[in-house]
Amino acid sequence: MLTHEEQLAEFEARIARGEKIEPGDWMPAEYRRQLIRMISQHAHSEVVGMLPEGAWITRAPNLRRKMVLISKVQDEGGHGQYLYHAAESLGISREEMLDALLEGRAKYSSIFNYPTLNWADIGVIGWLVDGAAIKNQTMLAQASYGPYSRAMVRICAEETFHHKQGKEMVIQYAQGTPFQRQMVQDSINRWWWPTLMMFGPHDSDSPNSETLIKWGIKTKTNDELRQEFINEMVADLTAVNLTLPDPDLHFDEASGNWTTGPIDWDEFWRVVKGNGPCNKERLAARQEAHENGRWVREAMAAFAARSPQVIA
Ligand code: BYC
């Protein structure tokens, strides 16, 4: 029988060797807690993230755009499913996670508490928001927990299509009519800063990063990922003559990075704490959807009680 210290040493040695930790394996309680926290927040983000884009399905300008958008929103629902399953493998139930979301106790990505005000927002979400998500999720595909890492591989493959369709749309509008250029610039102006906030607080204010990095859940810090994203996006957006809403943005020769002005962390925490522009609307939409699905859950439970072998 190994002592706790010996089990911990063996666990950390496995991570150092690059082995994946699987659901039945021994793991420290804090590793399990951190994963449940992060994966459930991630799952909620995917599902709540369907709302701002879903709002434009009926207003898509043509059939091709409508089909792409429907398919993208459906993919996000699927990502939520993979992630809820990954979290369930750690011993939390779907009901517990959903109750936390519906009662307003759970976090989900701050970005989805902003409104989609024009059609170009759909392209900008694809290029910027999915771009930020892919940067983070490509890192998480290396995570030490097997089910999370495998879900990320699959999700990243799908997100890459989301990213490409957004980029195609933004570039087309940036090179389009004066109205299209104005629409897409307005959208970039509104989404730039909230997208940078998606990566989380600065490293000095990120209480979870140290533990997540120690145990191989994250392999890069919030600021490292944000900086990589800024460097790529400034180059790409300026190449199509779009501007960024940051008078302090400049290239720093010494570090080789694009440096932004200060991020408004007061705004970030207001949004995270439930007081962003759309938090209440998002929660109400999820509560309503959950209530509307009640009869399906009840019918499934009644059917399972009568015919357990069919459900199994
Ligand atoms: N929003 O210690 P920190 C998508 C919280 S969806 C809200 O740095 P950590 C898509 C954080 O939870 C993809 N809360 O945390 C879907 C913590 O609070 P707690 C979304 C945030 O975990 C549909 C506190 O602040 N991606 O692609 O080390 C359509 C301190 O932060 C945020 C994910 O969910 C935030 N932005 O790092 C289109 C990725 N940032 O829990 C697209 C998975 C921080 O201690 N998650 N907080 O009470 C992660 O990678 C990490 O959890 C984060 C934060 C980088 C977000």
Side-chain angles (χ1 to χ4, degrees):
M1 182 76 178
L2 297 178
T3 64
H4 177 81
E5 283 65 33
E6 287 165 340
Q7 282 176 314
L8 182 61
E10 169 61 19
F11 167 83
E12 291 184 339
R14 290 186 64 196
I15 292 178
R17 289 195 296 270
E19 286 176 33
K20 296 291 181 205
I21 306 300
E22 299 296 339
D25 296 348
W26 186 89
M27 61 184 81
E30 178 60 8
Y31 180 80
R32 188 183 300 276
R33 188 192 74 80
Q34 281 286 356
L35 282 168
I36 291 175
R37 176 189 71 81
M38 198 165 143
I39 302 174
S40 62
Q41 287 176 7
H42 194 162
H44 299 326
S45 304
E46 300 282 357
V47 172
V48 176
M50 298 166 77
L51 296 169
E53 290 185 279
W56 281 86
I57 290 174
T58 54
R59 291 173 283 173
N62 59 51
L63 183 60
R64 183 173 83 93
R65 295 279 186 216
K66 192 189 286 277
M67 282 166 45
V68 170
L69 182 57
I70 290 173
S71 171
K72 178 181 193 299
V73 171
Q74 184 175 287
D75 283 354
E76 308 298 358
H79 298 171
Q81 293 283 0
Y82 307 152
L83 288 162
Y84 283 125
H85 281 302
E88 281 172 324
S89 72
L90 290 153
I92 186 167
S93 71
R94 179 80 61 116
E95 289 71 24
E96 285 173 88
M97 289 185 272
L98 288 182
D99 283 351
L101 174 67
L102 298 172
E103 289 165 13
R105 289 183 280 116
K107 290 192 173 70
Y108 56 84
S109 183
S110 48
I111 193 77
F112 302 117
N113 292 306
Y114 290 84
T116 40
L117 299 180
N118 72 30
W119 169 251
D121 285 1
I122 301 306
V124 169
I125 289 179
W127 197 4
L128 267 67
V129 174
D130 284 285
I134 291 173
K135 183 141 284 302
N136 172 274
Q137 291 171 172
T138 307
M139 167 192 77
L140 294 174
Q142 310 298 319
S144 55
Y145 187 57
Y148 195 25
S149 131
R150 290 188 288 273
M152 284 299 108
V153 171
R154 195 161 166 183
I155 289 175
C156 283
E158 295 177 0
E159 295 286 17
T160 304
F161 283 103
H162 300 173
H163 186 238
K164 282 185 183 146
Q165 63 83 37
K167 186 171 182 174
E168 185 256 359
M169 202 188 295
V170 172
I171 292 173
Q172 184 175 347
Y173 296 153
Q175 296 172 343
T177 64
F179 176 79
Q180 287 173 323
R181 286 205 299 276
Q182 183 267 328
M183 176 175 69
V184 76
Q185 183 63 62
D186 169 62
S187 179
I188 297 281
N189 293 349
R190 286 181 287 105
W191 290 93
W192 175 248
W193 290 108
T195 304
L196 299 190
M197 293 175 196
M198 271 180 84
F199 291 93
H202 283 314
D203 297 348
S204 51
D205 298 319
S206 165
N208 298 295
S209 282
E210 190 183 338
T211 308
L212 295 175
I213 288 174
K214 175 177 74 172
W215 284 331
I217 298 171
K218 287 199 230 188
T219 50
K220 292 182 181 176
T221 69
N222 299 355
D223 283 331
E224 283 169 344
L225 288 174
R226 182 171 19 244
Q227 188 62 59
E228 285 179 19
F229 176 79
I230 292 168
N231 289 348
E232 287 167 25
M233 289 315 298
V234 171
D236 283 359
L237 291 170
T238 51
V240 289
N241 292 327
L242 289 165
T243 58
L244 291 163
D246 180 356
D248 298 326
L249 183 69
H250 65 278
F251 188 72
D252 178 49
E253 293 286 349
S255 64
N257 289 322
W258 282 95
T259 304
T260 68
I263 294 175
D264 184 349
W265 293 112
D266 290 343
E267 174 180 324
F268 171 77
W269 289 115
R270 256 197 321 277
V271 175
V272 171
K273 289 180 180 158
N275 299 311
C278 298
N279 295 62
K280 290 178 184 58
E281 184 183 326
R282 301 291 183 239
L283 206 54
R286 287 312 313 156
Q287 285 161 345
E288 189 187 346
H290 193 72
E291 206 41 48
N292 288 342
R294 178 178 298 282
W295 70 271
V296 179
R297 293 190 298 279
E298 286 174 356
M300 292 289 286
F303 183 68
R306 280 184 45 198
S307 328
Q309 71 286 5
V310 177
I311 292 290

